[in-house]
Every structure is written in structure tokens, then in C-alpha cells.
Amino acid sequence: MRSELENTLLALLALHPYASGYELHRVIEESTRYNLMASFSQIYPALRKLHEQGLVDYDLEPIKNRPGKKLYALTALGRTALQEWLASPVDYSRGFQAFDLRMSFSPLMGKDALLNLVDSAIDELEMELSNPRGASGRDPVSFGFVDEAAVDMGRLEFAWKSVAVHFRESRAARLAWLREFREGVEGHF
């Protein structure tokens, strides 16, 4: 199973063929860093692994008095692996970060894969919003980490409720946007 970084590199190479590891790092920093961060020490081993699996290949660009620069591109097998990842289910156990990352590459998806992705997010949000106490359905004390004697419970309750209201409103706004986006996909893909 490939990591999110490896899948992201495949997607970035679909958008930026013949990119170096340095260029891929720059693209991550400028585009997907809110959903996935990666250092050079993570990118180069991931590229090596993708190459060993036959998912990417590279050409060496000669550089005077230095080793050549590797310019990576997807192989046919890499394009297939990318489409499989884009069409695979999203794990919402840690929120919407994986969904947001996948949406970064929505132009690479087929219509059915994109609609399935959007529908899964709509279902997840509808489920969260159907719970009147929020996504967890719990208050801060029930988590077991609040020492009621050491904390001003009035402040805690105020802050908790305020955050919960913001959370629900942001989820409702995301749900409205996804429904609108879904309609747009029907007309543009």
C-alpha cells in the first residue's frame, strides 16, 4: 500500500511531468502543504520507491561538474496506480484532510470517481450534522481529560459551545458547497 506522499507524488507528476525532486518539493510547499507536508528527506526515498515499483521513471539531465538531475515522469503503470488511488474510498477518521488532498487533484479524476468522492463527503457531513451534539457527540468533561477542580468550568463551557457552533456552521457551509460543486461536476465533466 502506498503512502499519501507517494500517491501525491504520482498526482503531481501527472500535472508536472519531468519534474525533479526539488521541483516537486516546491510544488508541495506552494500547493498541497495544508493537507500534506513533505521534506526532501521524505520525497527522495518516496520517489526511489515509486521507481523501484515501476510507477515512475526518470531521465538524467546532465549538469556540469555534478551528478545529473533526475527528471521524473509517470509510467503507464503509474498512471493506472494514480487513477486507482483517486477512485479509492477516503478515510474520514481524521477529518477531511485526506478528502481535501484528494480534491486538489480532482481535475485528474474521471466523472464517476469525482462524484463518488463528493458523495462520500456529503454522506459524512450529513452524518456529522445529524448528531445534535457535534461530530463526537461529547462534551469536554466526558473526554476524561478535564480536571473540574483545576479549570474554570464556565469558561470551558463557553469556549466549547462557541467552538461547537463554529464547527457545525463550517460543516454546514462545506456541505452546501459540496452540493453546489456536485451540480457543477455534472455539467463540466
Side-chain angles (χ1 to χ4, degrees):
M1 183 168 181
R2 288 181 309 279
S3 69
E4 287 291 290
L5 173 58
E6 291 163 353
N7 288 319
T8 298
L9 291 170
L10 292 176
L12 290 175
L13 286 169
L15 296 170
H16 307 278
Y18 297 101
S20 67
Y22 176 84
E23 291 164 334
L24 291 167
H25 179 266
R26 192 188 79 229
V27 171
I28 289 171
E29 285 291 308
E30 294 175 2
S31 63
T32 63
R33 75 173 170 192
Y34 299 106
N35 300 306
L36 176 86
M37 295 195 56
S39 65
F40 290 113
S41 64
Q42 294 168 308
I43 291 172
Y44 286 110
L47 287 169
R48 184 172 32 259
K49 185 176 174 185
L50 292 171
H51 182 260
E52 289 168 358
Q53 294 172 349
L55 302 176
V56 301
D57 206 354
Y58 61 84
D59 291 333
L60 278 175
E61 181 180 276
I63 300 175
K64 187 176 182 178
N65 298 325
R66 291 191 0 208
K69 178 168 62 169
K70 292 179 181 178
L71 301 177
Y72 294 89
L74 289 177
T75 63
L77 188 60
R79 282 188 284 284
T80 299
L82 170 60
Q83 290 306 313
E84 288 170 357
W85 173 63
L86 291 173
S88 68
V90 171
D91 176 9
Y92 291 100
S93 64
R94 293 190 328 224
F96 276 78
Q97 189 172 1
F99 169 82
D100 292 340
L101 178 63
R102 199 83 54 93
M103 283 297 288
S104 300
F105 305 111
S106 59
L108 299 172
M109 294 180 193
K111 181 178 181 177
D112 290 341
L114 182 53
L115 288 174
N116 287 337
L117 176 65
V118 171
D119 288 343
S120 75
I122 288 171
D123 291 346
E124 182 71 19
L125 288 167
E126 287 174 341
M127 183 183 68
E128 285 182 11
L129 290 169
S130 71
N131 183 340
R133 296 186 73 190
S136 67
R138 298 169 72 180
D139 59 72
V141 175
S142 70
F143 282 108
F145 66 85
V146 176
D147 180 353
E148 294 182 50
V151 175
D152 180 330
M153 293 305 291
R155 287 182 183 181
L156 179 66
E157 187 174 313
F158 163 76
W160 187 267
K161 285 182 179 178
S162 179
V163 168
V165 166
H166 171 72
F167 178 84
R168 289 186 68 74
E169 289 174 353
S170 67
R171 289 299 205 234
R174 182 184 280 243
L175 179 59
W177 170 77
L178 281 168
R179 288 177 174 150
E180 183 180 319
F181 182 79
R182 190 185 195 295
E183 289 179 23
V185 169
E186 292 287 356
H188 290 90
F189 276 70

